[in-house]
Amino acid sequence: MPALALVLASACWAATLIAQKAIIEDLAVAEITVVRFLIGAGVMFILAIILGHVREFRRIGWRPAIMGLLEPGAAALFLVWVVANTSAISGSVILSTIPILMPLLGWIVLREAVRMTVLIGAVITIAGTVLLVQEQSLHAGGSLKGDLLCTIGVLFICANQLLARRVAQVHGQAIPVSALQLAAAALVSFIVLVTIKRPPVYLARVDTEVVTTLIFIGFMGGAIPFFLYNFGLRHLPVGRLSLFMALMGPMGALMAWAYLGTPVSLIDMVAIAIVVFGVALPSLSGPARART
C-alpha cells in the first residue's frame, strides 16, 4: 500500500508540472502556487474536521509548518520557475537526481540502513535520467538556467524529506500534517506574491480554462499527493521513498507528449524504461522494511 500511494503521488506531481506549464503565460508563478496550496490546505483541514483529527494539530506541533516552508513552499516556487525557463519534461526529470542523494542523507542524518538493491536501483535510475535529460535537451527546450533552478529546488526537497520522515515516525497522522504543511506553503507563496512579484492586477488573465486548471492543480498538486506522500513516509525509509520521485520523469514525459505535444523519441522511451526498472528493482528483490 505505501508503494502504491507513492506511485500515485508521483503521477499527481507529474500532472501538476504539465498543468502549470499550460497556464504559466496567464498567471504569475506565485499566483499559481498560492491558489494551489490554499485549495490543498482547505481540503485537508475540512477532512481533519470531518474525521475528528482537530485535536491532533496541537499534538503535532510546529514541525509540519517548517516542512511546508521548505517543500512545497520554497521548492514549489523554484520548480514553477523551472517550467517557465525550460521544458516541462526537463523540469520533471531533473528531480530524479534525488534518489542518489536521499539514501546517503538518510544514512548520515537519520541512521537508516540502506539496502543494496536501493543503491543499485538509484544508480540505474540516475543513468536513465541522464539519458532522458540529454535527449530532451536536444528537442524539448532544456536550458542551463532551468536546470540550476531545479537543483536549488532539489536541495529544499531533500531537507524536507529528512524532517518529514521524523514527523511521520513520531505522529503518523497524514491529514493534519499535510494541512499544516500546505498552509505554510500557501503563506510563503502569498508573501512572495505581495512583496516581490506584485502584479498590477491580481489574477488578471483568469478565464474558465485557467480556473479549471487551477482547481485541478489544487487537488492533484496539493491535497492528494501530499496526503499520499506523508502516508508513505510513515512506512518507508527516505532512501527507498525517494526512488518513487524518479517516476515523475517517465510520467511527465508521457503526459507532456499527450497534453502539450512535446516530442518523445525512441531514446526517450528507452530511458523511461531504465528509470522504471531502477525504481521497481527494490520491490522485485523483496519487500522493503522501514527502519527507524
Side-chain angles (χ1 to χ4, degrees):
M1 186 64 71
L4 177 59
L6 292 169
V7 170
L8 294 175
S10 298
C12 289
W13 278 319
T16 298
L17 283 175
I18 305 305
Q20 288 175 163
K21 186 71 173 180
I23 62 173
I24 198 67
E25 299 297 328
D26 299 307
L27 298 174
V29 168
E31 287 180 316
I32 296 174
T33 55
V34 166
V35 176
R36 170 187 172 185
F37 300 138
L38 280 178
I39 292 174
V43 171
M44 288 293 100
F45 275 111
I46 291 171
L47 285 176
I49 293 171
I50 293 174
L51 298 176
H53 291 169
V54 175
R55 293 182 179 179
E56 296 294 329
F57 288 106
R58 179 175 296 180
R59 186 175 67 87
I60 290 172
W62 52 268
R63 287 181 177 83
I66 300 299
M67 290 163 50
L69 296 179
L70 294 170
E71 183 199 3
L77 287 169
F78 275 94
L79 295 181
V80 177
W81 281 323
V82 165
V83 298
N85 288 277
T86 188
S87 75
I89 299 176
S90 292
S92 296
V93 298
I94 290 295
L95 292 171
S96 301
T97 57
I98 293 174
I100 207 67
L101 297 174
M102 289 314 302
L104 299 177
L105 291 174
W107 173 65
I108 294 171
V109 178
L110 303 178
R111 299 302 179 187
E112 292 184 338
V114 181
R115 296 171 62 200
M116 183 57 65
T117 51
V118 172
L119 292 177
I120 295 173
V123 172
I124 294 172
T125 297
I126 291 299
T129 298
V130 170
L131 179 61
L132 189 55
V133 172
Q134 182 180 21
E135 180 68 8
Q136 284 295 311
S137 67
L138 298 176
H139 62 68
S143 73
L144 180 60
K145 180 181 179 181
D147 291 350
L148 179 60
L149 290 170
C150 198
T151 300
I152 296 173
V154 163
L155 295 178
F156 285 120
I157 292 171
C158 290
N160 171 71
Q161 285 192 8
L162 295 172
L163 177 59
R165 171 63 171 160
R166 280 297 185 224
V167 171
Q169 288 175 312
V170 174
H171 301 292
Q173 293 289 344
I175 290 177
V177 168
S178 300
L180 293 171
Q181 183 179 8
L182 289 166
L187 178 61
V188 171
S189 298
F190 179 75
I191 292 173
V192 171
L193 179 62
V194 299
T195 61
I196 299 176
K197 289 299 180 180
R198 291 186 294 181
V201 180
Y202 292 101
L203 303 175
R205 301 179 63 181
V206 170
D207 55 23
T208 302
E209 182 178 354
V210 171
V211 170
T212 302
T213 304
L214 285 173
I215 294 173
F216 174 84
I217 289 172
F219 279 88
M220 298 296 288
I224 297 173
F226 280 94
F227 167 75
L228 295 172
Y229 177 76
N230 286 317
F231 169 78
L233 272 169
R234 184 181 181 184
H235 300 279
L236 295 176
V238 292
R240 173 74 194 286
L241 179 141
S242 63
L243 277 176
F244 288 91
M245 294 194 69
L247 292 175
M248 290 177 62
M251 292 176 177
L254 296 177
M255 291 176 187
W257 168 73
Y259 186 67
L260 301 178
T262 304
V264 176
S265 68
L266 178 61
I267 295 178
D268 290 329
M269 298 304 295
V270 172
I272 287 170
I274 293 172
V275 171
V276 171
F277 176 73
V279 173
L281 182 61
S283 295
L284 296 174
S285 65
R289 294 178 176 84
R291 299 173 188 264
T292 61

